[in-house]
Amino acid sequence: MFYPTSSRRSDPFAHMRSMLLDFDRATPARPALSVFPAVNVWQGEEAVAVTAEIAGVDPADIDISVKDAVLTVAGERKVPEASEGARWHRNERSFGKFSRTVRLPFAASNNKVEARMTHSVLRIVVGRPEEDKPRKIEIKAA
Amino acid sequence: MNNDVTQTAGKPAADTPETMTGARVYRPLTDIMETDEGVTLMLEVPGVAADDVDVTLEKRVLTIRCKVHYTRPDKLQLAYAEYGEGDYERAFTLSDDFDPDKIEAAMANGVLTLTLPRAAEAQPRKIAVKGA
């Protein structure tokens, strides 16, 4: 992290932004993303949703399974076919088998799990079973 | 900061000026492969529809901009986040022997593939050496 001041002198905010960017990269505040896919978890009264960006995988090649309160997403990112004599200039994407497990706050029943893929963003919605929902207790008149 | 990041695990934020809305802009992870026919770029842009891709080639700079479709499940609150969503932007400076009219773009499973065929006159011609 070396900041040549001469090139940034015209815009001090550019310098600040690049410093912030460096902090973003250096601090482990974000989890080390060697795990794939990264997931976002959404919660509500009626359901829990797990979303994940899975680029480069055919939806048919993704295995989603639920057992009790454990949701697993697995598949494989295949290396693109390269013709003979191809030279790689950049290789930033990663490939190979992946498997990701997410613990849900409740045990899911099979018929309440729905998965959908839109523009390679996977969205799995798990409905909350009736027995898990809080029961409302009526107060009886004396 | 240099823009040349070779190995990154997650999608990094683009090193561009701030956006008006405060939304983040990401730099799509890219593979670039070259063959004798031309160059192929493969960019990971999950959340982008084929219609929301904008590719321009101006003064040898190939710019790719993609508008993201945000995934927001109804009636649910974000409880835990590992990735962010935002538009994608990335630019590459090309060697100038590409025909801008022949650039082909295809979107499949969140991967944008750009095929840049080399201009006909720039294709390597093999010259046979005649025996004496």
Side-chain angles (χ1 to χ4, degrees):
Chain A
M1 281 180 225
F2 168 64
Y3 303 104
T5 43
S6 56
S7 66
R8 305 273 189 193
R9 196 168 285 164
S10 55
D11 184 2
F13 291 103
H15 187 187
M16 200 173 79
R17 275 199 300 275
S18 86
M19 268 174 84
L20 284 173
L21 216 69
D22 279 350
F23 280 124
D24 275 357
R25 283 172 192 159
T27 50
R30 280 181 295 176
L33 284 169
S34 53
V35 285
F36 180 86
V39 296
N40 283 1
V41 180
W42 306 72
Q43 249 176 326
E45 291 281 308
E46 300 290 321
V48 162
V50 175
T51 57
E53 292 183 334
I54 306 178
V57 182
D58 193 75
D61 296 336
I62 299 174
D63 286 325
I64 302 160
S65 59
V66 186
K67 191 176 184 296
D68 299 331
V70 176
L71 172 77
T72 306
V73 178
E76 187 179 359
R77 287 188 286 179
K78 294 196 177 83
V79 183
E81 283 170 35
S83 55
E84 228 169 282
R87 296 177 296 281
W88 288 89
H89 290 307
R90 274 166 199 262
N91 207 334
E92 296 171 358
R93 300 168 60 204
S94 34
F95 304 99
K97 285 202 166 80
F98 63 86
S99 174
R100 189 78 207 268
T101 305
V102 178
R103 182 166 285 277
L104 303 169
F106 46 78
S109 55
N110 271 347
N111 52 359
K112 280 198 158 180
V113 185
E114 197 188 284
R116 192 170 296 174
M117 193 102 168
T118 359
H119 311 311
S120 86
V121 177
L122 179 69
R123 175 210 306 225
I124 305 162
V125 180
V126 184
R128 195 170 173 184
E130 287 300 325
E131 55 266 28
D132 188 69
K133 284 182 193 163
R135 234 178 322 139
K136 203 179 162 114
I137 290 141
E138 304 262 336
I139 301 170
K140 285 180 189 136
Chain B
M1 299 295 315
N2 66 353
N3 292 315
D4 197 41
V5 176
T6 43
Q7 285 295 328
T8 32
K11 54 177 184 182
D15 197 6
T16 51
E18 282 180 82
T19 54
M20 279 171 71
T21 54
R24 288 196 98 159
V25 177
Y26 290 92
R27 184 175 55 203
L29 295 176
T30 307
D31 279 359
I32 302 178
M33 192 174 71
E34 186 173 352
T35 60
D36 291 339
E37 286 85 50
V39 170
T40 306
L41 291 92
M42 285 159 278
L43 297 95
E44 283 191 356
V45 286
V48 174
D51 299 339
D52 297 323
V53 179
D54 181 40
V55 181
T56 54
L57 179 60
E58 200 184 345
K59 289 181 181 159
R60 289 172 50 208
V61 176
L62 180 76
T63 310
I64 300 116
R65 287 195 189 86
C66 301
K67 248 177 101 66
V68 79
H69 284 257
Y70 290 95
T71 307
R72 300 266 153 85
D74 296 337
K75 295 187 227 156
L76 300 179
Q77 299 291 315
L78 186 63
Y80 168 73
E82 284 179 353
Y83 70 89
E85 287 177 301
D87 295 346
Y88 297 92
E89 217 173 292
R90 194 156 182 182
F92 298 96
T93 308
L94 307 175
S95 59
D96 53 4
D97 51 4
F98 291 101
D99 189 343
D101 296 329
K102 285 190 179 147
I103 296 175
E104 270 179 54
M107 181 77 98
N109 296 326
V111 177
L112 175 69
T113 305
L114 298 176
T115 316
L116 288 75
R118 211 172 280 286
E121 62 267 29
Q123 261 186 27
R125 229 172 313 149
K126 203 167 175 167
I127 290 143
V129 181
K130 285 174 191 143

